Amino acid sequence: MLRYMHHSGFQPVSRRLLPWVQSAAVPRSHQVQPSAVRHVRSWSNIPFITVPLSRAHGKPFAHRSELKHAKRIVVKLGSAVVTRGDECGLALGRLASIVEQVSVLQNQGREMMLVTSGAVAFGKQRLRHEILLSQSVRQALHSGQNQLKEMAIPVLEARACAAAGQSGLMALYEAMFTQYSICAAQILVTNLDFHDEQKRRNLNGTLHELLRMNIVPIVNTNDAVVPPAEPNSDLQGVISVKDNDSLAARLAVEMKTDLLIVLSDVEGLFDSPPGSDDAKLIDIFYPGDQQSVTFGTKSRVGLGGMEAKVKAALWALQGGTSVVIANGTHPKVSGHVITDIVEGKKVGTFFSEVKPAGPTVEQQGEMARSGGRMLATLEPEQRAEIIHHLADLLTDQREEILLANKKDLEEAEGRLAGPLLKRLSLSTSKLNSLAIGLRQIAASSQDSVGRVLRRTRIAKNLELEQVTVPIGVLLVIFESRPDCLPQVAALAIASGNGLLLKGGKEAAHSNRILHLLTQEALSIHGVKDAIQLVNTREEVEDLCRLDKIIDLIIPRGSSQLVRDIQKAAKGIPVMGHSEGICHMYVDSEASVDKVTRLVRDSKCDYPAACNALETLLIHRDLLRTPLFDQIIDMLRVEQVKIHAGPKFASYLTFSPSEVKSLRIEYGDLEVCIEVVDSVQEAIDHIHKYGSSHTDVIVTENEKTAEFFLQHVDSACVFWNASTRFSDGYRFGLGAEVGISTSRIHARGPVGLEGLLTTKWLLRGQDHVVSDFSSMAA
């Protein structure tokens, strides 16, 4: 059952009473029959998505994330969106993309309405064609040499263009919507239709009836008869219809619309004219912020500029309708701009009445950059002092930390899987280990920033140095692991980087107190703002687009999280690994005493860790030997579920379940066992199915071990050691921001060194390149 059936005070009227309503003629098979209106919907080949759309109209949405609940939506297409760059004719490809998006949302059960420009441009194209054709015929008849003179096209009056273009524009919409089995109807209005109470009631009734029948109303000002706009004609708090911006706002409020999307040729609202050097896109605009905005010139076509759009948007917002102003012309985003807005993505400028309690993420990023630069200028001893103080706070305030963590665990019970609950849990021993790791970082940070890596004397009194410097602003996104926060914070402090932290909501209480303690430690040297915890409703995908703020993204979490971030990052490098598929190869010359001990530690010590063993490769000669039996018995005692690889399964009469894939990160007490014939086959298997994380060989043959160490192309390759050693703490780095499987900048456990880059310093005395030109030649 659809909402918004018949509103009190509005009665449906027949088309006979409203001659300016034109329904798009669609094939009979697509027409909505009156007897079936309540049961039949129009479908397209786009999958139908069910979303909870019902909400009481009254207040606009407070946050972007709520826009997905919008039921009734008005999309306003500005002249610059609909028309071509030469202003003669329509941008057909762009228009087709918009129709597709509107159709997708309509077929999701939403009620879509369009307010469109374009009739004047379409009419201008038609009239120019007719004039040129007419002139060419006349000149051909009167020219003795049958040569056409240069033809002058008279200035075309806008009303005449609108009259000539309306029917063609509607026919185009009709043809496009028909492709998605959707019916459309045209409605032409003027300002008088809103001032006349009877006409206003008729308009409302007609629109409600069209929406009830699953028809998309296409509304436009009747430019063929509309009088020129009167400046400052808004009376008694009611916006006058002077252009399609004000028409869209008036229509949205009259129809109690949930969302108004205004598409123009700019990304949204800027704090200064777009194109100026210091112009910044305003993500969220609040009533009363007009004084801080400088408006530029209006669009290349159309009547309204950005000032008119803002005025219309604020009026609609006051009337209970949420508003987003966005770019509908950019070729990279126009194909999904409408659906992105409805999905709550950070597109354009969102108008909201609810101001956040704290700074925006953009402001936090600027604070982190400024604080990070101040942090980098501190003496090494001062940065070390901050880290030591944070280590002390972790142990001194452990009761408060554990109490906050207990709240997280209680709220997560039943919602998170076992491995994630283990990652979420903090304990006294974990906090003590964290404190020890932080003190190691403090000790190793003495010569980190500003260390001279290379010094070259180019000429007399001309010296070149390459020195270490911070990367800039880091964004670390982590799931379930509150202990990650102080680790990463300490590494950022030691390396002089600004830091944005985005933790999972399942660890909100733990993260909050750990961040407060971090800022308390930073405050002793006045750099509190260098590390920021993002608590807004910012989606991870939106954070990954802040390429002007963030210099490096480091994801800490599931393989799916890492893949999503790598996909979403726009122009920002991502350091991390998407999977931790760690292998252990048990060679035919492996020690019986070592194997079970190494397998148990690698798999059972912390199965949820990314450096836990996932695939055990056994040399074929070890099958049906006491060593093999010991491995199987140990795994059964530890309650490890065994999955058989295809080759291993072929050797057994009764085998465990055959593995579905040889490339699985279980993250639990499960392991895959596969058989190989040689060390080379083990290496080939690792290269084919591994993730270049950590791989181990167990053997007493040094030559075989060295062959394995040199030929396995992974970040960490071990001989007779547990996979669990692949950790920054175990490597003596104090802590790590993650383990990188990439091949540039940093690889393996990334500690302090991986968060530094370099810059070149050249010191001279009036040196110019021309003095050295002969040398270069």
Side-chain angles (χ1 to χ4, degrees), residues 192-204:
L192 297 175
D193 295 318
F194 289 96
H195 288 306
D196 187 290
E197 183 63 24
Q198 184 59 47
K199 288 183 178 181
R200 183 168 153 270
R201 289 162 63 90
N202 290 349
L203 174 60
N204 275 271

Side-chain angles (χ1 to χ4, degrees), residues 741-763:
T741 56
S742 65
R743 300 178 184 279
I744 56 173
H745 181 66
R747 200 175 187 203
V750 180
L752 179 58
E753 295 293 327
L755 299 182
L756 296 171
T757 184
T758 65
K759 72 177 180 181
W760 296 90
L761 304 177
L762 183 63
R763 296 180 175 90

Side-chain angles (χ1 to χ4, degrees), residues 102-291:
V102 171
S103 300
V104 168
L105 297 173
Q106 181 81 3
N107 284 333
Q108 288 178 358
R110 305 180 199 268
E111 297 172 348
M112 304 298 296
M113 290 181 279
L114 281 182
V115 174
T116 179
S117 302
V120 173
F122 198 38
K124 184 184 293 186
Q125 182 186 36
R126 293 181 64 181
L127 292 180
R128 277 191 172 191
H129 178 77
E130 291 298 325
I131 292 170
L132 286 171
L133 182 62
S134 175
Q135 287 182 350
S136 65
V137 171
R138 287 198 304 271
Q139 289 192 18
L141 292 174
H142 292 89
S143 175
Q145 298 180 358
N146 200 30
Q147 292 181 349
L148 301 182
K149 297 179 182 177
E150 189 172 322
M151 294 175 287
I153 300 175
V155 176
L156 298 174
E157 206 271 333
R159 292 192 186 90
C161 292
Q166 284 290 356
S167 60
L169 178 64
M170 192 59 204
L172 184 61
Y173 275 119
E174 168 197 340
M176 289 181 174
F177 275 112
T178 299
Q179 300 303 311
Y180 303 97
S181 303
I182 289 178
C183 184
Q186 183 184 34
I187 299 180
L188 299 176
V189 297
T190 66
N191 200 25
L192 297 175
D193 295 318
F194 289 96
H195 288 306
D196 187 290
E197 183 63 24
Q198 184 59 47
K199 288 183 178 181
R200 183 168 153 270
R201 289 162 63 90
N202 290 349
L203 174 60
N204 275 271
T206 300
L207 287 169
H208 281 102
E209 188 66 14
L210 292 173
L211 293 176
R212 187 182 71 83
M213 293 190 296
N214 195 37
I215 295 172
V216 176
I218 300 176
V219 187
N220 193 4
T221 54
N222 192 353
D223 294 326
V225 299
V226 70
E230 297 179 13
N232 303 320
S233 58
D234 297 339
L235 300 174
Q236 298 177 351
V238 178
I239 193 167
S240 297
V241 177
K242 298 185 285 289
D243 49 47
N244 277 338
D245 295 319
S246 53
L247 169 60
R250 184 69 183 265
L251 183 68
V253 174
E254 290 279 343
M255 293 297 294
K256 295 183 171 59
T257 299
D258 299 319
L259 173 62
L260 168 61
I261 299 174
V262 180
L263 297 184
S264 183
D265 56 353
V266 292
E267 279 72 17
L269 189 60
F270 288 79
D271 57 0
S272 57
S276 58
D277 292 338
D278 56 348
K280 292 182 180 179
L281 179 66
I282 298 173
D283 173 39
I284 305 177
F285 189 80
Y286 305 99
D289 286 354
Q290 298 96 309
Q291 294 80 6

Side-chain angles (χ1 to χ4, degrees), residues 554-570:
I554 305 173
R556 296 284 303 270
S558 67
S559 58
Q560 186 60 51
L561 171 72
V562 179
R563 283 194 295 269
D564 289 344
I565 290 172
Q566 289 172 336
K567 183 179 178 181
K570 305 296 183 184

